[in-house]
Amino acid sequence: MSGSVRARRQPSPPGKLSQSAPRFPHPRHDHLDADQRREAASKGLRPGRRTHAVGGLNLSPAEWKLLVVVLLIACAVRLFRISQPNSVVFDEVHFGKFASRYIKSSYFVDVHPPLAKLLITLAGWLSGYDGNFDFKDIAKVYENVPYVAMRMVPALMGIATIPLAYLTLRALDCRVTTALLASLFITFENGLITQSRHILLDSPLIFFTALTTFAWTAFCNEDHYEPFTESWWIWLSMTGLSLGAVVSCKWVGLFTIATVGLGTLKQLWTLLGDLRVPARLWIKHFVARAICLILIPLVFYMSMFSIHFLILSNSGEGDGFMSSEFQHTLRGRGMADTFADVAVGSEITIRHVNTQGGYLHSHPHSYPGGSKQQQVTLYPHRDSNNDWRIVNATAPGDPYTAWMDEDISYITHGTRVKIRHIQTDKSLHSHDIRPPVSDVDFQNEVSGYGIPGYAGDANDDWIVEIYKGDKRDKESSKRLRTLRTQFRLKHPMTGCYLFSHKVKLPDWAYEQQEVTCNKQAVLANSLWYIETSTHPKFPPDAPKVNYKLPGFFAKFWELQKVMWTTNAGLTDRHTYDSRPDAWPRLRRGINFWVKDHRQIYLLGNPIVWWLSTAAVFMYAAVRGFLVLRAKRGYRDFDNTKVVKYDALCGFLFVGWALHYLPFYLMRRQLFLHHYLPALYFAILLACSVFDLVTSTLRPRVRLQIAAVLLVIAVWNYSYFSPIAYGLPWTKAKCQKARWLKTWDFSCNDFLDDYAQYKGTIAPTPHVSSPALVNNPAANQGGLGAVPIGEPVKLEQPAEADTTTAAFGQAEPGRDIFGDHPHNDLKSKQSEAPRVAEDVAEPKATSSVSVEPSEAPPSQEPASNENVSWGSSSAESASEVASSTAEAGRQAGAEHEHVEGPKPEEEAEADRVREALFPDAED
């Protein structure tokens, strides 16, 4: 062959063709080119992702397994020894008692909405609780109460908060390590542990706050990806339901509503500035948010009160807080129709328009000082001692009998009348003598004066001044009409007006409300109306009236006003209250329970608490620094990483600020547990800062740093666990644990050695021996535990544990019925006079609360707004609402009437009486 011809290679045999590798590898399925990345970013997708996970949550199967492990740890931490202590702890005094009221259908008033209390009640009812335990004192041992089941409600909600924290940070595009750190921080946070193990409301509140935050984050992810999808509507509706639930637990939930509301306004404002969004579409966004974030929470909130009213259908201790119309919707408070007119000689009951409408009342017991005449008070319950007869003071002869021989004549404006107490034949009387409590120049004593057959004197006279009538009844503005006319009673001899206010008389008057004659009377407290009227000369078919029963919306709105007023009135100091500036620093906690040389004291995990506070201030400082740099022309906010973490941390910072800063505006009692919702946001913010700071580190290094932080947090948890669980502790360890001098758990209540706990020791009484406050020599362990039922007074002004005006405190004076502000007149603080032994009244009192109920006429229960909180907080009004008078006190023997100094007219009347009736006794 020619050398220029190349030999041909033999062909490859069939089936043995070589498979040469392609020059360019096949592209990855999730690879995105530049245009696709821009489009994915505009839809809120993470880098390198073509698809969108529901709610922005793209969790791997391993993460779900990790969550299960975290939940198991949380259950072990939260449920450990939940049956201990087996006695009442802190505000279980109030919320346990409210569960009893629900089961008994007995009406009560609390400053908090009903959802959390209803859930606790449901657990007790399903477990067979009959509502007969009184929850009277802290450390009282439970008997026939499924308290573990009731404690499980807040405990399970505390556990459920932990995965919500994890999911929230993952939805905010934080790393798995960050979300895990946050969930474990919350797991081992001692304050949250203590609060979630008892029958309290804060754990449900924090759970629904966390649920709202998670649902809102998921909705924002859906809204960024594609609005108006099915999942978009689900997350938006879920956010609305969560908002309704959080505000139905406590009004602190309004701060959560404000957090979501600000986010909503930001979204709508951004859409309004987007020229690609037509007006019709913007309106659609607005309406959708209005329905789901305003209407749904409102309906949910009102539905909780509908259930509340449905269950509490019987008369109870909370009646006195509500209007007469409201009270008559309750079983046992209904009233038969009464005559519409009031004539001379009518037998009437008179009610106060203000101060929960108590009845003008008198009973056969005398003031221990002043005139020493018969007491006249305001009493919240129906009683035969509320009955009076009104007659014409200008009638000739004896006005109390002259009306029987005259035709019917009505009481009109300006009529001069006398009002006599039917049970004791004493006339409503006033004179220039100071009252026993409101001992000020412009207040006169009001008493019952006279004897049977004695016509009285000029100091028994009163002038009727009609203030206003009912628009539906024109005659009610011309003459006194039952239930329709509001009027004043002016004392012509001294120029003062019959008056009552929220000041309680001491024990010798059964703590009923004071009635005075005030020369500088506040108009609202000087108005009265007639509830019932009978007259023997009225024909049976004479016009009759009755209360107009309110519907649901009227009852709902009235209760909201009562809750607001009562909540605002919680201004007295408590032994363990604190102010907002102390909360982020964890300056002091709350003593929950002391018994058998053990103590439960609400104190947070210091490392978690202080790290979260540091993160809050760090973000604020860095954000302010970036704003200053932007003013100087730096373009930090063009960096996508800066924008991402600014939005993430900014949202959590706003949540913290809105749940914390408003407390600075409140003058009511505040406690450390009010900071817990803000603490939740602070912990998430701290972990978000951790995510930013470690974003450039390798995953292994990031995990190691997180592990170190977690080990410190767990050690802190373990170190302070004895006061979280009520475990044995020694005085030495307790004293070493007082890292701050303001941590006032009482080390004196613990034993010296653990071996002493194993031996047989006599249990301590329910009341722990108090240590001297601020005396290191006597109390090396800090402030002693608060004795149950007795307030410990700190070395601070005005420390008191009641929610009513203190004895000796009167309302400031005011120009009579003018539009001028109150004069700066202070009531003279005077000690209530003591009753002599021969007129002492037997009185059984409760060391924690006094609760009124309908009392038989022969009994004089205490009035209905006084309560001694002991070491329990007055926040629950639980607190003020259950603060009502205790029924069933049996009055002692009738006091011997002692005549005191009287004005000239009274002295003359006495001389006449003694001449005519030498054997008569008063």
Side-chain angles (χ1 to χ4, degrees), residues 120-155:
I120 292 171
T121 302
L122 179 62
W125 180 73
L126 292 176
S127 302
Y129 179 45
D130 56 9
N132 288 326
F133 189 77
D134 60 8
F135 292 87
K136 185 177 181 180
D137 295 311
I138 295 175
K140 181 175 182 179
V141 177
Y142 284 117
E143 297 177 359
N144 301 319
V145 181
Y147 67 96
V148 173
M150 298 169 75
R151 287 177 179 175
M152 285 295 291
V153 173

Side-chain angles (χ1 to χ4, degrees), residues 225 241 338 444 685:
Y225 176 65
L241 289 172
T338 184
N444 289 344
L685 178 57

Side-chain angles (χ1 to χ4, degrees), residues 40 148 158 173 247 295 339 364 428 506 513 577 613 620 786 873 886 908:
V148 173
D173 200 19
V247 78
L295 184 60
F339 288 110
L428 186 67
Q513 191 163 304
D577 66 3
T613 300
V786 178
S873 80
E886 180 183 19
E908 178 64 22

Side-chain angles (χ1 to χ4, degrees), residues 55-118:
L57 283 172
N58 196 356
L59 272 63
S60 64
E63 283 189 77
W64 290 110
K65 295 177 182 178
L66 182 64
L67 263 182
V68 172
V69 174
V70 172
L71 271 177
L72 292 176
I73 297 174
C75 290
V77 170
R78 290 294 200 274
L79 302 181
F80 173 68
R81 287 172 52 92
I82 196 171
S83 61
Q84 298 298 320
N86 63 342
S87 56
V88 180
V89 176
F90 194 52
D91 274 354
E92 289 184 344
V93 163
H94 304 297
F95 302 121
K97 180 170 61 179
F98 292 155
S100 299
R101 300 294 182 267
Y102 274 124
I103 291 175
K104 294 288 189 180
S105 297
S106 177
Y107 188 79
F108 67 91
V109 172
D110 182 26
V111 296
H112 302 303
L115 175 58
K117 298 190 291 289
L118 287 171

